[in-house]
Amino acid sequence: MSTLAEYRERLATEPLTPLQLGAIHGEWRRLGLHYRPERLRLSAALAQVGAIGTTKDLTMGEAGRVVGQLRQCATLADARALASSGHAEPVPARTGLLAALWRALAA
């Protein structure tokens, strides 16, 4: 990846990774949501996309948004409230590998 624009294009077009898929499912398990139709509806709302037929329909960027939002939720009620509020926002990377990538791309 040589530019920030190329990185953003990749996030918008590439399918989610197996690790992202596992993270989304793990977060829903942590929150106690096992009913698939509701998981898909809430995931789509958090990703700010229309209806999805499977979690694998999400792009890398959308999946990252879902994981970031779910990690901020202490309870299933928090996740439901966030999804229904229409105010789910992308969570900026502040630490770790993504933060290092953002710093490198911005330089």
Side-chain angles (χ1 to χ4, degrees):
M1 243 11 86
S2 61
T3 68
L4 184 57
E6 290 171 343
Y7 177 69
R8 287 181 176 156
E9 177 67 21
R10 183 173 180 212
L11 289 177
T13 59
E14 293 289 321
L16 82 169
T17 67
L19 288 175
Q20 287 178 308
L21 180 63
I24 291 170
H25 288 166
E27 287 300 314
W28 286 127
R29 278 191 306 276
R30 176 183 67 81
L31 295 171
L33 182 57
H34 303 287
Y35 184 61
R36 185 173 186 266
E38 186 176 10
R39 283 195 323 260
L40 293 175
R41 182 181 59 75
L42 294 175
S43 292
L46 293 172
Q48 299 174 333
V49 299
I52 56 175
T54 174
T55 305
K56 291 180 182 179
D57 290 343
L58 298 173
T59 66
M60 286 175 62
E62 293 162 351
R65 187 177 302 130
V66 172
V67 171
Q69 297 296 324
L70 290 175
R71 287 183 176 161
Q72 294 182 33
C73 297
T75 66
L76 180 54
D78 292 341
R80 286 176 174 146
L82 183 60
S84 67
S85 73
H87 297 293
E89 296 289 334
V91 179
R94 299 275 186 231
T95 60
L97 183 59
L98 283 178
L101 177 61
W102 277 111
R103 284 191 301 274
L105 290 171

